[in-house]
Amino acid sequence: MHGPAHYTRMVMTKKFLVLNMAIVLVNAAIGLFINMAIFSGPVGVRERFVVLPEDVAPNEAPILEYATEDPTANGTEPRDAIGCQKSPESRFASFDSSRGFVDKSRMFKTHPFFIPGDRWENTTSSWKVCMSLQTSVDLLFWLSRQVEMWTGPISVAVFTPDADYTVALRMIKYLKTCNPEGMSSVSFHVAYPKNHPPRYIREEDDVVKEYNCDAPETVNKELLRELRSEELQRMIQNSRYPQNLLRNVAREGCPSDFAFTPDIDMIPISRMADDLNAFLATSGEAQCNKCAFVIPTYEIHTAVTTNPKDKVELRKLIIEKRAQRFHIKSFAPNQANSNLGKWERTAITPKLQVLYNITTWRSYWEPIYVTKANVPSFDERFVGYGFTRNTQVYEMHVADYTWHMLSNVFLCHRGFQTVKTHSKVRRAQIRENGKKYQAFRMELYARYGKEAANYEPKKKAGNKTKADKNKKNVIKMKTKKQTK
């Protein structure tokens, strides 16, 4: 038999075990409470609202869709190539338009780095120049060509009103699936009108994977046909596209020292990115703070199936009238000041260099160029078509920038453009922006303390105004009366 001491030890042991268990439970409860407080608090957008893919680090590629409040949306279901959950459609939610930046006009909202490139940080850290592009969803297919020809970082601002948001998501998914390596250096930002926020349209099947990777334009058109309503199409056709806002958003997404802002359908020649990066990294001329390095742009006839790879092939196409200077038939001043006749006659140089300095100035010149990233912004008051690029070019002119033509590189734009290719709405916007541009120039002279007379084109002696002609006629009539 056991004595009293034995029973006392058993009782104390039980009490000790109960006490330890209680301490463990209390610690677990405290830990759970602290974690809930931390992870359900008002942290940044990425942690709170963006679902991250399971197989990438949190600082790499957040998924396209914002999560619902349903806790199952943050579960462990499989996700696709860019992080979209493949589970039921209840996992998807409408775009959270309450977040994002409002522009100065208070008409548009932007969400920078909505989809950052998988290798964005690595790529931008080793490149001197970054390409910045703006586009509607209609032209997203051109990005497939850009990433084939441009090996550096690309920052893209996409206009996504209403269901165009869904078109953008599916088209980006297609591009990333077809060329994951090239698209890993591309980051996306979105912008949209405040009164037409993004809208996600659910689909039963993931049809993107069935699309042909060799037909991006066809895929793009098919997505538009399926997802863009006639009502949305009319709204887009009759509204003003904020080109300069989008250009600024894309450019501000580039952390590189130099900025390069062509249109999304202006395709560089092979190795242009590497040659340009080497020139900017090693040339003493590139250290200039107020220098713009001009890159010519040419229209290539649609009958030409492959863009010219160098200046020799381009000259051959020009002689055959299958290539021409950009906008030469629709708006000749566009590149008139670039002296492209001299550029075309000059042989290819051993490496990229400044071929000649452009010391003249002609009104309404709109070259494509590379500059230091601190160049003046595009004026966002110019919305729609016409004089949008001019706002930056002319401010640089008034701010005493110098212009330098690069030797071997150029951009290719598909198709010959004429005034007939411009819609009635576009022509009306060009006229309205043209009137606004006159006042804009006067504003720049005041801002930079310059005399308008030193910049405004001089009137030619033969170009007399109607008032001058009327005044001359009155003098003639008086002279006749006096002689009678």
Side-chain angles (χ1 to χ4, degrees):
M1 294 182 64
H2 300 287
H6 175 75
Y7 290 110
T8 300
R9 284 195 300 272
M10 289 181 62
V11 170
M12 290 182 67
T13 301
K14 289 181 180 179
K15 288 182 178 180
F16 178 77
L17 291 173
V18 170
L19 180 60
N20 278 337
M21 182 63 71
I23 291 171
V24 170
L25 292 174
V26 169
N27 283 335
I30 292 172
L32 180 62
F33 176 81
I34 290 172
N35 278 281
M36 289 178 64
I38 291 173
F39 293 105
S40 62
V43 295
V45 172
R46 177 173 290 182
E47 295 83 1
R48 178 73 175 96
F49 289 96
V50 180
V51 180
L52 298 177
E54 295 291 327
D55 56 347
V56 297
N59 63 348
E60 290 182 351
I63 108 168
L64 299 177
E65 297 300 327
Y66 284 92
T68 64
E69 293 300 321
D70 179 4
T72 59
N74 292 317
T76 57
E77 294 87 347
R79 295 182 171 90
D80 61 28
I82 52 174
C84 292
Q85 293 173 343
K86 296 180 181 177
S87 48
E89 292 187 354
S90 60
R91 298 292 187 263
F92 293 109
S94 298
F95 187 88
D96 186 359
S97 59
S98 66
R99 297 176 181 269
F101 299 104
V102 183
D103 78 319
K104 292 178 181 178
S105 72
R106 321 308 288 177
M107 292 175 60
F108 302 99
K109 271 194 167 184
T110 62
H111 295 249
F113 288 99
F114 182 55
I115 309 171
D118 297 347
R119 298 176 59 248
W120 183 250
E121 187 175 355
N122 291 337
T123 306
T124 55
S125 64
S126 59
W127 278 78
K128 298 289 289 183
V129 62
C130 170
M131 177 188 284
S132 56
L133 303 171
Q134 56 79 24
T135 185
S136 65
V137 297
D138 307 63
L139 300 179
L140 265 173
F141 67 91
W142 280 113
L143 199 55
S144 64
R145 290 288 291 136
Q146 290 287 5
V147 297
E148 287 175 3
M149 306 304 290
W150 180 267
T151 51
I154 304 177
S155 172
V156 187
V158 188
F159 194 54
T160 58
D162 199 81
D164 275 11
Y165 165 74
T166 307
V167 178
L169 292 184
R170 298 193 180 280
M171 193 62 196
I172 293 170
K173 179 178 181 178
Y174 161 83
L175 293 169
K176 289 173 77 73
T177 301
C178 291
N179 188 353
E181 177 65 24
M183 293 295 293
S184 67
S185 297
V186 182
S187 285
F188 293 91
H189 326 278
V190 295
Y192 53 88
K194 285 174 63 180
N195 60 345
H196 289 282
R199 183 167 62 92
Y200 182 76
I201 298 176
R202 295 170 174 80
E203 278 194 349
E204 291 279 337
D205 301 315
D206 186 7
V207 295
V208 171
K209 290 189 176 180
E210 300 174 6
Y211 288 147
N212 181 2
C213 285
D214 295 325
E217 186 173 5
T218 302
V219 172
N220 207 152
K221 288 180 178 178
E222 179 65 15
L223 286 171
L224 285 166
R225 187 189 66 79
E226 290 180 0
L227 297 168
R228 182 186 280 175
S229 65
E230 292 183 6
E231 181 183 2
L232 178 57
Q233 180 67 32
R234 285 193 299 271
M235 184 277 288
I236 291 170
Q237 288 176 342
N238 295 314
S239 62
R240 292 178 176 274
Y241 178 70
Q243 296 189 48
N244 280 354
L245 168 64
L246 292 164
R247 285 182 179 125
N248 288 336
V249 169
R251 198 186 64 171
E252 288 164 4
C254 284
S256 306
D257 295 338
F258 290 86
F260 173 45
T261 312
D263 289 343
I264 196 168
D265 54 356
M266 294 176 175
I267 308 300
I269 60 172
S270 178
R271 289 200 53 78
M272 175 172 151
D274 299 279
D275 292 346
L276 191 56
N277 194 54
F279 167 78
L280 296 172
T282 61
S283 170
E285 293 166 300
Q287 308 313 309
C288 165
N289 287 325
K290 284 192 172 184
C291 289
F293 301 99
V294 178
I295 299 173
T297 305
Y298 285 83
E299 297 173 356
I300 310 300
H301 198 281
T302 52
V304 179
T305 56
T306 305
N307 285 342
K309 71 175 187 294
D310 56 30
K311 192 188 289 189
V312 174
E313 290 190 4
L314 176 64
R315 277 199 299 254
K316 184 173 184 293
L317 291 176
I318 292 172
I319 293 169
E320 296 170 349
K321 300 188 182 306
R322 295 197 294 166
Q324 62 186 25
R325 298 166 192 172
F326 186 65
H327 273 353
I328 194 167
K329 296 291 178 61
S330 59
F331 190 64
N334 184 275
Q335 292 197 76
N337 194 55
S338 297
N339 194 6
L340 290 181
K342 180 177 181 178
W343 184 87
E344 291 162 9
R345 291 190 300 271
T346 308
I348 296 175
T349 57
K351 64 178 182 179
L352 187 63
Q353 65 185 55
V354 171
L355 194 60
Y356 54 86
N357 298 328
I358 302 172
T359 57
T360 58
W361 180 263
R362 295 190 188 182
S363 296
Y364 309 113
W365 186 39
E366 279 193 348
I368 306 298
Y369 44 82
V370 177
T371 62
K372 286 282 184 71
N374 60 355
V375 70
S377 299
F378 296 93
D379 196 296
E380 295 175 13
R381 292 172 295 179
F382 285 74
V383 183
Y385 289 99
F387 302 93
T388 53
R389 282 189 179 277
N390 277 114
T391 61
Q392 185 183 67
V393 175
Y394 200 72
E395 181 165 357
M396 291 167 64
H397 174 53
V398 175
D400 300 324
Y401 275 71
T402 56
W403 306 85
H404 312 272
M405 179 63 73
L406 293 178
S407 57
N408 302 330
V409 293
F410 58 92
L411 299 166
C412 299
H413 184 278
R414 186 177 70 181
F416 287 1
Q417 295 195 6
T418 66
V419 177
K420 293 179 181 179
T421 61
H422 293 172
S423 67
K424 185 177 180 181
V425 172
R426 180 170 181 168
R427 290 195 296 270
Q429 291 178 0
I430 291 172
R431 286 193 298 271
E432 186 173 335
N433 276 345
K435 294 175 183 177
K436 189 185 297 183
Y437 183 65
Q438 310 307 318
F440 170 77
R441 295 207 307 260
M442 300 302 150
E443 178 186 308
L444 288 180
Y445 304 144
R447 186 190 309 167
Y448 285 92
K450 300 296 179 70
E451 292 291 333
N454 296 332
Y455 292 89
E456 289 298 300
K458 305 293 189 298
K459 290 183 180 179
K460 294 181 180 179
N463 293 344
K464 295 182 179 179
T465 64
K466 188 175 181 180
D468 291 334
K469 291 179 180 179
N470 290 338
K471 185 177 180 181
K472 186 175 181 179
N473 290 335
V474 170
I475 293 172
K476 283 183 178 180
M477 290 174 64
K478 286 183 177 180
T479 304
K480 286 182 181 180
K481 288 181 179 179
Q482 290 173 356
T483 54
K484 285 182 179 179

